[in-house]
Amino acid sequence: MAENVKVAVRVRPFNERELKMKATCIIKMHGKTTEISDPANKQGEPKKFTFDQSYWSHDGYKEGPDGYLEPASTKSPYADQRQVFKDLGISVLENAWKGYNCCMFAYGQTGSGKSYSVVGYGANRGIVPETCEKLFQGIDENVKTADKSREQEYQVFVSMLEIYNEQVRDLLNPSSFKVKGGLKVREHPQKGFYVESQSIFPVKSYDDINGRINEGTRNRTIASTNMNATSSRAHTIVSIKFVQKGKNDTGQNMTKTSIINLVDLAGSERVDSTGATGDRLKEGAAINQSLSSLGNVIKALADQGMGKKSARVPYRDSKLTMLLKNALGGNSKTIMIAALSPADINYDETLSTLRYADRAKAIRTIAVVNESPTE
Ligand code: ADP
Ligand code: MG
């Protein structure tokens, strides 16, 4: 059945730069509604948007001894990492167990909180590590309690790549960084787009998969801009393949496969707002090209979702859109998290993120359970 992409927005606390500039908060949330006021037009009506979830993570938190940020009181609307995982991560897991492909991608300007939600920092673990841990907990449970006659068997594989300047690199195979022009993206008639000779590793435990992801994270391309000194200027995609084998009710050997794509996009800001120059500017241009292709694909799909007869969807315009084709227009249950800065000084970028997210709501995908007789 066709269903809409689920869209959540999340607003973070002020960062040091915003505090230093005495920024004011221009975001308000009530229930699922997010409002933004134009600092240049204080009398004007705020612009209102509705999403599947609007997460207030701006204030009202306290820090635990290990640095975990949680609501300061039971009345505080602060949405912590556990809350976000409970709503978004758990649904990804449940769908993976059912055999659906899932995708979650985070969009927003540099420093808006994408990586915080996707991977997290320190005790504030994000959706990727939580999902991986719960996946292995679920497997261990099932192995213990399963009906032995079903001969259930579980396999998990991980791969990780980045798209940097329209070049694809295998983050789990640094020798791929030397391939001129990056790895090739090819199209398979049934499976769709894939990265040629991308490595994929079997993993047996949470520690195993976490180790691989940390290795990939260390291999990422990092460059500093004025906005966030350690922010990555590349798109990062972690793919988890979850295979369940066993006998069905009639004793037939079946295999269920789910691919989970977790995507931390590069910053969506226009280059000049970060003060980037020289090489950084060239990178910025390519990143914008990839993100603007994503914008065009989202627009075409949203038009289709709203029943407009539309032109072709330009997936082939960028590496990112080729690799996200399934997640956006095909067989996948997809979630988008739009990360927001609370500050007046980021009004233009935050408004553009909200518009982007608003458009993504109209996209419809058709996920099917990937199950077939074991070969
Ligand atoms: P991005 O990946 O979009 O560039 P980050 O996720 O690195 O941004 O976030 C920038 C900074 O803001 C980090 O120091 C991060 O810890 C902080 N931050 C982001 N989101 C939150 C949040 N929901 N609660 C508390 N701090 C946050
Ligand atoms: Mg980041």
Side-chain angles (χ1 to χ4, degrees), residues 114-115 121 231-232 264:
K114 298 180 296 296
S115 302
Y121 295 103
S231 117
S232 167
D264 193 353

Side-chain angles (χ1 to χ4, degrees), residues 136 205-212:
F136 279 102
S205 66
Y206 170 67
D207 286 343
D208 245 15
I209 193 166
N210 203 32
R212 288 288 178 196

Side-chain angles (χ1 to χ4, degrees), residues 156-167:
V156 181
F157 302 86
V158 65
S159 48
M160 194 166 166
L161 59 82
E162 77 170 3
I163 304 168
Y164 180 75
N165 263 339
E166 284 303 285
Q167 299 189 8

